[in-house]
Amino acid sequence: MYQWRKFEFFEEKKTKIPEEIEGEIQCCSSGRGRIVLGSQDGTVSLLDRGLQLHYSFPAHSASVLFLQQLKQRNFIVTVGEDEQMPPQKAAVCLKVFDLDKRQEEGSSSSSPECVQILRIFTNQFPEAKITSFVVFEEAPPIIFIALGLENGCIYCIQGDIARERIKRFKLEVHSGQSGKIHSPITGIGFRVDGQAFQLFAVTPSSVILFKIQGEKPIAQTLDHIGSETASVMNDRSELIIGRPEAVYFYEVDGRGPCWAFEGEKKFLGWFRGYLLCVIADQRTGKSTFYIYDLKNRLIAHSIAVGEVSHMLCEWGNILLIMADKSALHVVEKDMESKLDMLFKKNLYPVAINLVQSQQADAAATAEVLRKYGDHLYSKQNYDEAMAQYIHTIGHLEPSYVIQKFLDAQRIYNLTNYLEKLHEKGLASKDHTTLLLNCYTKLKDVEKLDIFIKSEDGVGEHKFDVETAIKVCRAANYHEHAMYVAKKAGRHEWYLKILLEDLDRYDEALQYINSLEPSQAGVTVKEYGKILIEHKPKETVQILMRLCTEEGEPARGGSSNGTFLSMLPSPVDFINIFVLHPQSLMEFLEKYTNKVKDSPAQVEIHNTLLELYLSHDLDFPSLSQTGSSENGGSDAAVMSKAESNGKIISDDASLEKDRQERHQKGLVLLKSAWPSEQEQPQYDVDLAIILCEMNSFKEGLLYLYEKLKLYKEVIACYMQTHDHEGLIACCKRLGDSGKGGDPTLWADLLKYFGELGEDCSREVKEVLTYIERDDILPPILVLQTLSRNPCLTLSVIKDYIARKLEQESKMIEEDRIAIEKYQEETSTMRKEIQDLRTNARIFQLSKCTACTFTLDLPAVHFMCMHSFHQRCLGDNEKECPECAPEYRAVLEMKRNLEQNSKNQDYFFQQVRNSKDGFSVIAAYFGKGIISKTSEGPVEDPSQTNDHSNGNY
């Protein structure tokens, strides 16, 4: 023990016990933030933290022998002597004081209420000198009091002392030789372990453990050597006793460790893991107070003291009370001060042990370890320094350590540190990059394999996966990079290495086939361009599997629309075919042949149309194949230069391919627009633009005809001067009986009139249909054809003759009709004038209704019909015979007036009529257009004769 280092981890401060305490201090206790002193005169004094007297009270009339401040309740338990009636004799009794109940509030002499007084010695418990005293609080209000006697007995009192609900029993300590009770009890200590309740007893000749939780206590001798002086219990429920040669620790199963501190142990204590000893030197007789740190094997403090009477621990301090009533406060220094003291002496291991034993936080411990590591690093002890730095992982910034070991000579230590950093899951991307670079620089493939291929490496994400892949790939460790990518499920990286670094296209395709459809779709979108370039057929097969799920059971003749909507669309993969339109065309053709009701059918058809109708397609795959088959690209160029026929052959094949694609485009235009559907399964505007751009006449004619743009149809024929096709088209589309547009013949006649060449035969044929359907009047025909100088009058001579003859007949018919209407009108006017000016004589003798003889009363109408009044009933204002005809005229007039307001019907009649002017003339003739509705009243000054319609 003399080799233990001595430190000053504590500092002392001397004070004095207040002078008000006059008697000799017999006992003391601490707890609940105060010190309690028992004096020889029977007074109990309570001191505060500054050792100032709070108050005193007389507890016993003679003296206070023992006392203890309870922790869970504000009670003090005292054992003292009280004078009895025979003054020569004093009785020992136990008292319990409730400090919360004061008898005289505010008085300096006020004393707490004594809630119970017990006589200790009775007939069953003979009187003896009390040598030790301890109180254990089981569960308030239950307490357990043990009194050690000089005769070797232990008196026990258990229960609620305040209510005197107690039980008494005694424990006897027998000597091993004679079996007589003779050894005084020098120390007592309670120990609770779960349900087990045990009591240590110390005598000069033995150490005994009593198990008292049962009905009958059981004694167990732990040691046949005891102690005559000090003993104490530590915070681990171990008994500590001091002997001149050493300090011994006891547990329930016997003696434990011992520490050879020589000297007489006057006092023992335990404070925050420190062993407190007041040891008297046997040679000089002087006493020294020691504070031992047993875990770190050092003396935390030592000071020479006088005669110590009592030792206490309270307020986080140690208090030594001397015989001369002086006091010594011993206070522990803060951790920073203690560490500074150790650092100055380079005692870093001691500092580390100290912070660990004091249960300091991890950050403080890491700081000490860092300083120790810096100290070792400065001495060039790199291995030991790294061992300390590794313990700081999680608290010390890794860059601090990494920067110190970046030198190539210390790369092994740096590798070790980075490995530990990854094991604890605290590595960043940069740390992973650095560790892998260390492995690659050291060419340590074995460690690289362990780091990369360990079973818990990727799964627990102990390193950044993407960083590891990048570093391994950059260092040409492609297999390791692929392993990490595959295990981590980073399919895009796995394929990137296979395709860009290793050119293993077949393996990449197999890997994509093994993935889930969703993952496979993502990878194909990213790397499809490379795959299409080198493996077009295999890539198209993968796309077909993804878009149609060919591996699934057959779905019958029709595809399930809901199922198809869950699959990727071919449109999503169009971008990978940007340089390979031929492969795209094959892929979309296969897809459309297999799937008939795809949700993306319009987009697919649009793309196919663009491919079919384009003027030229590049075939890089075919050109490469042709070059390899012809013995290389140079040979192919030479063969082209040597043979002009070869070029002609290539042009012919391209033209043939173009015709085939145009034919496919026409088939698609027709098949994707069934007659039963109003809208096609492609974008019509886009299709028209494509046909126009690529001069695809057949498709353009089909689309115009489907859209009923007949004038655009004939315009196509006119542009190509296809007269036969033009006439045939007008025959098909100009028949109004079949929903055609007869005005096409007028446009055709205008075309021939402006043609500027001899087209007599075509004009005659056109005039036949114009005459048949009466499309144009002869004057317009003459004006139109007169513009063509190549046409002669003989072309239209027969047509004009027939039209003149027809016009003459129509004129004669109209003249006859006019004369007839004039005669009828003259007759009506005469009749009206006669009705207005002359009297009417009614000579009918019979009723028109019942044909009986007419008698009065009778009713005569101006239409010369007469009726019995009874035959007319209530309707006397109109003739029953003429009323229906009159109502029909009125209804016709009313309908004409309503039609005059229906503009849509009027314009529809004008459009549908061969001669629109005749419709307008009919409206005028019926007096519809000439009549206007009465508008709002206007200023008379602004009206004229035409405002009322009489014009």
Side-chain angles (χ1 to χ4, degrees):
M1 302 302 173
Y2 295 106
Q3 297 179 356
W4 282 20
R5 294 180 179 270
K6 293 184 179 180
F7 300 94
E8 295 300 325
F9 289 164
F10 290 78
E11 54 188 4
E12 61 275 351
K13 177 184 177 183
K14 292 184 179 180
T15 57
K16 287 187 177 181
I17 299 297
E19 295 179 355
E20 291 88 347
I21 303 175
E22 298 177 353
E24 180 184 353
I25 299 174
Q26 291 285 99
C27 55
C28 62
S29 179
S30 64
R32 301 181 72 88
R34 56 174 168 255
I35 298 293
V36 184
L37 304 179
S39 303
Q40 192 175 10
D41 58 2
T43 303
V44 173
S45 303
L46 282 75
L47 307 181
D48 59 15
R49 185 164 188 166
L51 292 186
Q52 299 297 318
L53 180 64
H54 187 46
Y55 67 89
S56 301
F57 65 91
H60 297 272
S61 58
S63 65
V64 181
L65 302 177
F66 302 93
L67 63 82
Q68 184 167 337
Q69 166 74 56
L70 301 186
K71 301 288 191 298
Q72 300 184 36
R73 289 183 293 170
N74 199 15
F75 283 8
I76 293 179
V77 181
T78 63
V79 175
E81 295 180 348
D82 287 291
E83 295 180 356
Q84 300 298 311
M85 290 302 296
Q88 70 275 8
K89 190 173 182 181
V92 180
C93 62
L94 182 145
K95 293 184 179 181
V96 180
F97 293 94
D98 187 353
L99 300 183
D100 291 331
K101 298 179 180 179
R102 303 277 291 279
Q103 294 178 352
E104 299 177 11
E105 292 292 337
S107 173
S108 60
S109 61
S110 64
S111 60
E113 180 181 346
C114 180
V115 297
Q116 189 55 259
I117 301 176
L118 291 178
R119 294 286 298 271
I120 295 177
F121 301 113
T122 63
N123 294 332
Q124 295 181 353
F125 301 92
E127 184 174 355
K129 182 181 178 180
I130 301 174
T131 57
S132 57
F133 169 77
V134 68
V135 179
F136 176 76
E137 298 176 81
E138 293 187 49
I142 306 300
I143 60 175
F144 195 109
I145 300 174
L147 298 151
L149 306 179
E150 190 177 23
N151 60 11
C153 290
I154 301 174
Y155 288 176
C156 299
I157 302 172
Q158 185 180 17
D160 187 355
I161 302 295
R163 297 184 181 182
E164 206 171 350
R165 296 177 181 177
I166 59 174
K167 69 173 181 177
R168 298 172 180 250
F169 59 92
K170 66 180 178 178
L171 306 173
E172 297 181 356
V173 179
H174 297 276
S175 174
Q177 297 177 352
S178 61
K180 297 179 181 179
I181 302 173
H182 65 279
S183 298
I185 304 297
T186 58
I188 301 174
F190 285 106
R191 185 181 190 278
V192 178
D193 185 10
Q195 298 296 327
F197 188 64
Q198 299 162 337
L199 178 68
F200 286 102
V202 181
T203 68
S205 60
S206 63
V207 178
I208 300 172
L209 177 68
F210 291 94
K211 299 179 181 179
I212 56 180
Q213 70 269 21
E215 294 183 0
K216 184 178 180 180
I218 301 173
Q220 176 186 354
T221 301
L222 301 180
D223 199 348
H224 292 289
I225 302 175
S227 174
E228 296 181 357
T229 55
S231 64
V232 71
M233 296 292 294
N234 66 7
D235 52 9
R236 294 190 296 271
S237 297
E238 296 175 328
L239 175 67
I240 306 172
I241 63 175
R243 297 177 190 160
E245 73 280 2
V247 175
Y248 296 88
F249 284 68
Y250 288 89
E251 297 181 2
V252 293
D253 54 354
R255 183 193 298 176
C258 70
W259 304 89
F261 304 136
E262 294 184 358
E264 182 184 356
K265 315 302 185 298
K266 289 188 175 183
F267 290 95
L268 287 179
W270 189 263
F271 174 74
R272 294 180 178 177
Y274 294 105
L275 176 63
L276 312 179
C277 293
V278 177
I279 301 178
D281 193 335
Q282 297 175 354
R283 292 172 294 180
T284 62
K286 295 182 179 180
S287 298
T288 306
F289 175 59
Y290 290 98
I291 302 176
Y292 294 104
D293 187 346
L294 301 180
K295 185 174 183 180
N296 298 316
R297 295 177 180 270
L298 56 87
I299 300 173
H301 191 70
S302 63
I303 182 175
V305 294
E307 185 179 353
V308 180
S309 62
H310 299 89
M311 183 168 63
L312 296 170
C313 296
E314 186 63 26
W315 311 299
N317 302 335
I318 303 167
L319 180 65
L320 299 178
I321 300 176
M322 307 301 176
D324 59 357
K325 289 190 178 181
S326 64
L328 186 66
H329 275 283
V330 182
V331 182
E332 186 177 9
K333 295 180 180 180
D334 60 89
M335 179 63 70
E336 185 176 357
S337 300
K338 292 190 286 187
L339 291 176
D340 288 341
M341 191 183 306
L342 294 172
F343 292 155
K344 290 178 181 179
K345 298 180 181 181
N346 292 330
L347 297 176
Y348 293 98
V350 178
I352 293 170
N353 293 333
L354 181 64
V355 294
Q356 291 176 346
S357 63
Q358 294 291 327
Q359 297 180 350
D361 60 340
T365 306
E367 180 62 20
V368 177
L369 291 168
R370 181 194 66 79
K371 291 184 176 182
Y372 187 28
D374 292 345
H375 174 70
L376 294 171
Y377 184 88
S378 64
K379 292 185 175 183
Q380 297 183 355
N381 190 353
Y382 301 121
D383 295 337
E384 291 295 329
M386 180 54 72
Q388 303 306 319
Y389 287 135
I390 286 174
H391 291 302
T392 65
I393 292 176
H395 304 282
L396 180 62
E397 177 61 36
S399 60
Y400 178 85
V401 180
I402 292 171
Q403 189 174 6
K404 288 179 174 290
F405 289 86
L406 277 177
D407 192 345
Q409 295 179 356
R410 296 188 286 275
I411 193 171
Y412 292 99
N413 299 119
L414 180 59
T415 303
N416 186 23
Y417 180 80
L418 292 171
E419 286 174 349
K420 298 296 182 183
L421 203 62
H422 281 81
E423 286 179 6
K424 295 187 178 181
L426 300 174
S428 67
K429 297 180 181 180
D430 296 331
H431 299 150
T432 303
T433 303
L434 190 57
L435 178 58
L436 292 173
N437 283 326
C438 289
Y439 285 148
T440 55
K441 284 187 177 181
L442 294 172
K443 299 189 183 301
D444 194 344
V445 180
E446 183 179 354
K447 279 195 174 181
L448 185 61
D449 287 339
I450 294 173
F451 180 76
I452 293 295
K453 299 183 179 180
S454 58
E455 290 299 323
D456 57 349
V458 178
E460 296 180 1
H461 300 287
K462 289 189 176 180
F463 58 82
D464 185 73
V465 174
E466 187 170 341
T467 303
I469 295 171
K470 288 180 178 178
V471 175
C472 291
R473 187 184 177 200
N476 293 326
Y477 285 90
H478 296 119
E479 295 297 331
H480 294 83
M482 288 169 58
Y483 180 87
V484 175
K486 187 173 184 179
K487 192 166 186 179
R490 304 297 293 271
H491 312 297
E492 66 280 4
W493 279 103
Y494 188 88
L495 290 170
K496 184 186 286 289
I497 297 168
L498 278 177
L499 297 173
E500 296 180 4
D501 298 337
L502 303 178
D503 296 335
R504 286 148 60 171
Y505 307 108
D506 292 329
E507 186 176 344
L509 289 168
Q510 292 177 2
Y511 184 76
I512 293 174
N513 268 323
S514 65
L515 298 177
E516 293 291 328
S518 58
Q519 297 172 344
V522 173
T523 55
V524 170
K525 287 179 184 178
E526 188 167 357
Y527 303 105
K529 293 180 182 178
I530 301 175
L531 294 172
I532 283 292
E533 183 177 355
H534 296 89
K535 298 288 180 180
K537 293 184 179 179
E538 293 81 355
T539 307
V540 169
Q541 289 178 357
I542 291 177
L543 291 175
M544 284 297 297
R545 180 179 68 85
L546 291 176
C547 296
T548 62
E549 202 63 34
E550 292 179 344
E552 294 292 322
R555 297 186 297 274
S558 62
S559 302
N560 189 336
T562 305
F563 179 76
L564 284 173
S565 63
M566 299 170 62
L567 296 175
S569 171
V571 180
D572 300 335
F573 303 99
I574 288 179
N575 63 314
I576 69 175
F577 295 94
V578 63
L579 299 177
H580 305 274
Q582 179 69 27
S583 299
L584 175 61
M585 188 169 63
E586 293 174 1
F587 167 53
L588 295 179
E589 286 176 348
K590 287 183 178 180
Y591 182 82
T592 53
N593 291 335
K594 185 173 182 63
V595 180
K596 301 299 183 183
D597 52 356
S598 171
Q601 204 162 21
V602 174
E603 291 85 350
I604 295 171
H605 286 162
N606 289 341
T607 306
L608 274 174
L609 283 174
E610 190 170 354
L611 292 170
Y612 286 151
L613 303 182
S614 62
H615 183 72
D616 249 336
L617 278 179
D618 294 329
F619 300 97
S621 57
L622 295 181
S623 63
Q624 291 173 6
T625 306
S627 298
S628 60
E629 291 176 354
N630 294 330
S633 58
D634 294 339
V637 172
M638 289 178 64
S639 64
K640 268 192 176 184
E642 292 172 358
S643 176
N644 202 15
K646 174 72 174 177
I647 300 175
I648 296 173
S649 176
D650 290 343
D651 292 341
S653 62
L654 289 175
E655 183 61 29
K656 181 181 179 183
D657 177 75
R658 188 181 302 117
Q659 294 298 328
E660 291 177 354
R661 287 188 287 108
H662 283 190
Q663 190 61 33
K664 289 181 180 179
L666 184 60
V667 173
L668 178 60
L669 288 173
K670 294 180 178 180
S671 61
W673 197 344
S675 57
E676 66 273 6
Q677 292 184 3
E678 293 184 4
Q679 295 296 328
Q681 296 175 350
Y682 51 82
D683 189 341
V684 179
D685 296 334
L686 176 63
I688 292 174
I689 292 172
L690 292 174
C691 292
E692 284 279 7
M693 290 173 58
N694 297 284
S695 302
F696 184 43
K697 179 182 176 182
E698 292 84 353
L700 201 59
L701 291 174
Y702 173 77
L703 291 172
Y704 284 154
E705 188 170 340
K706 288 290 289 185
L707 293 172
K708 296 186 178 180
L709 300 175
Y710 301 139
K711 294 186 182 297
E712 282 76 5
V713 175
I714 64 173
C716 293
Y717 285 103
M718 291 176 182
Q719 290 176 0
T720 58
H721 297 281
D722 185 2
H723 296 172
E724 293 183 2
L726 189 58
I727 295 175
C729 177
C730 286
K731 290 179 180 179
R732 187 176 71 256
L733 304 178
D735 190 353
S736 60
K738 297 179 179 180
D741 184 4
T743 61
L744 294 179
W745 294 107
D747 295 336
L748 186 55
L749 186 68
K750 181 180 179 182
Y751 166 74
F752 287 126
E754 297 175 351
L755 187 58
E757 62 182 42
D758 187 10
C759 49
S760 303
R761 182 178 60 84
E762 290 84 354
V763 171
K764 289 181 179 180
E765 187 173 0
V766 172
L767 289 175
T768 304
Y769 291 98
I770 290 177
E771 182 181 5
R772 184 194 68 179
D773 297 332
D774 196 14
I775 297 172
L776 289 175
I779 186 65
L780 289 179
V781 174
L782 288 172
Q783 290 175 355
T784 302
L785 293 179
S786 64
R787 299 171 186 171
N788 191 341
C790 299
L791 294 178
T792 61
L793 187 60
S794 60
V795 177
I796 60 171
K797 184 176 69 172
D798 296 338
Y799 166 75
I800 293 298
R802 289 192 297 273
K803 293 302 289 182
L804 289 174
E805 184 179 355
Q806 291 177 2
E807 292 292 339
S808 299
K809 291 181 181 179
M810 291 175 63
I811 292 172
E812 183 62 25
E813 291 174 357
D814 291 340
R815 187 185 61 77
I816 295 173
I818 290 171
E819 291 178 354
K820 178 182 176 183
Y821 290 144
Q822 287 177 346
E823 291 178 359
E824 291 178 355
T825 303
S826 178
T827 304
M828 289 179 182
R829 285 177 177 172
K830 289 180 180 179
E831 185 177 357
I832 292 170
Q833 183 65 24
D834 185 51
L835 289 173
R836 286 178 178 177
T837 56
N838 299 323
R840 283 278 186 164
I841 298 173
F842 301 99
Q843 296 179 350
L844 288 178
S845 60
K846 294 184 178 180
C847 176
T848 305
C850 60
T851 66
F852 288 102
T853 303
L854 192 65
D855 56 1
L856 297 177
V859 178
H860 304 276
F861 291 98
M862 299 298 288
C863 57
M864 305 307 294
H865 291 146
S866 300
F867 299 91
H868 292 115
Q869 188 176 15
R870 62 178 180 274
C871 293
L872 290 176
D874 296 333
N875 190 9
E876 298 181 356
K877 294 184 179 182
E878 61 181 4
C879 174
E881 294 291 327
C882 300
E885 184 179 355
Y886 179 68
R887 288 198 193 100
V889 173
L890 290 179
E891 185 66 26
M892 186 182 300
K893 181 180 179 182
R894 194 161 37 245
N895 290 338
L896 289 174
E897 291 176 354
Q898 289 179 356
N899 290 339
S900 67
K901 300 177 183 179
N902 192 347
Q903 300 176 2
D904 295 336
Y905 178 72
F906 168 74
F907 288 111
Q908 183 180 1
Q909 282 187 313
V910 172
R911 283 194 299 269
N912 295 336
S913 175
K914 296 179 181 180
D915 187 4
F917 183 78
S918 62
V919 176
I920 298 173
Y923 268 72
F924 272 105
K926 296 175 182 177
I928 297 176
I929 296 180
S930 61
K931 293 182 180 180
T932 59
S933 59
E934 293 182 358
V937 179
E938 298 179 353
D939 190 354
S941 62
Q942 297 181 356
T943 58
N944 51 36
D945 294 340
H946 302 284
S947 60
N948 58 2
N950 297 325
Y951 56 88

